[in-house]
Structures are given as structure tokens and as C-alpha cells.
Amino acid sequence: MLPIKLECSTPSPDTAKLQLLLEPQLFWFKGHFPGQPVLPGVAQIHWAVHYAREHLGLNGQFVAMQAIKFQSPVTHGQTLELNLQWSAEKELLKFSYFSVQPTADLLPVSSGKIRFSL
């Protein structure tokens, strides 16, 4: 189950920017953690790969993760901005999530790099 995609742009063939609304009933929140649901990091990585395949035409097999950082917990009801950048030469997907704040500031949530074998 995926979040609601509010916006999506692909400024270049190798980059994409999405805004995602996290509804409370998303599968990923169930049991993680009871009484205070938090989006697991594995969901954030899964979504980055999913949307890179969908919007950047990324193919290939997942090889490794690098420099994964989780900076702020994510709860339901939040809107996230996901930035994706694909480097075919390096076979590397860079991702970063930001929480969209009412003040128009973006709060860093997570980031990392995922290596693929094409």
C-alpha cells in the first residue's frame, strides 16, 4: 500500500520530486508502534525504489545501501516531499525525504543512496 501522491514532477530524466500524504490506515503504521505509530525506515526505502522505478524508469537489481540516515520520525497525517536523483553511470539512486511544514519550511526526515546492478 502506497501513500497518496499529491504532486509529482520530473525536472529532468534523472530526477523526480513527489509530495506524498501519509494516511493513518497505511499498512506500514500497523504495529509500529502501538499507541504511537511511526513510519518504518524500510517503508521509506521501499517507496524510494518504487517511485524511482515508476518515474525514472529505474531497472536492475538492488545491490546495497549507503549513507542511510533517519533524522526525524514520521507519523501518519504528514505530507512528505521525496526527492530522487538517479546516476546511471554510478548505478546509484540518491533519495531524500522532507516533512512539509505549514510554515513552508522543509524538515529533513531521511536520506541515503541505493546501489543497483543494471
Side-chain angles (χ1 to χ4, degrees):
M1 180 178 230
L2 297 169
I4 295 173
K5 192 179 343 175
L6 299 174
E7 294 179 24
C8 178
S9 64
T10 51
S12 76
D14 298 331
T15 61
K17 181 186 288 190
L18 299 94
Q19 279 205 350
L20 308 170
L21 175 61
L22 308 183
E23 294 183 297
Q25 65 269 25
L26 279 172
F27 162 82
W28 302 97
F29 288 116
K30 293 179 182 173
H32 195 268
F33 297 98
Q36 190 173 4
V38 175
L39 183 68
V42 68
Q44 296 172 50
I45 294 167
H46 173 75
W47 293 347
V49 172
H50 170 84
Y51 290 119
R53 292 189 191 282
E54 182 178 300
H55 295 285
L56 302 178
L58 177 63
N59 292 314
Q61 296 294 318
F62 177 96
V63 173
M65 295 184 290
Q66 303 170 332
I68 304 295
K69 296 179 186 176
F70 298 101
Q71 299 157 289
S72 181
V74 178
T75 58
H76 59 74
Q78 283 185 264
T79 298
L80 296 181
E81 178 176 295
L82 170 58
N83 295 309
L84 300 169
Q85 181 179 5
W86 170 243
S87 172
E89 306 82 45
K90 296 179 182 179
E91 298 182 329
L92 193 67
L93 173 67
K94 293 181 184 179
F95 72 90
S96 55
Y97 284 93
F98 299 90
S99 177
V100 178
Q101 302 296 305
T103 60
D105 293 333
L106 296 176
L107 175 68
V109 169
S110 63
S111 62
K113 302 173 185 175
I114 304 171
R115 185 161 308 282
F116 286 83
S117 174
L118 301 178

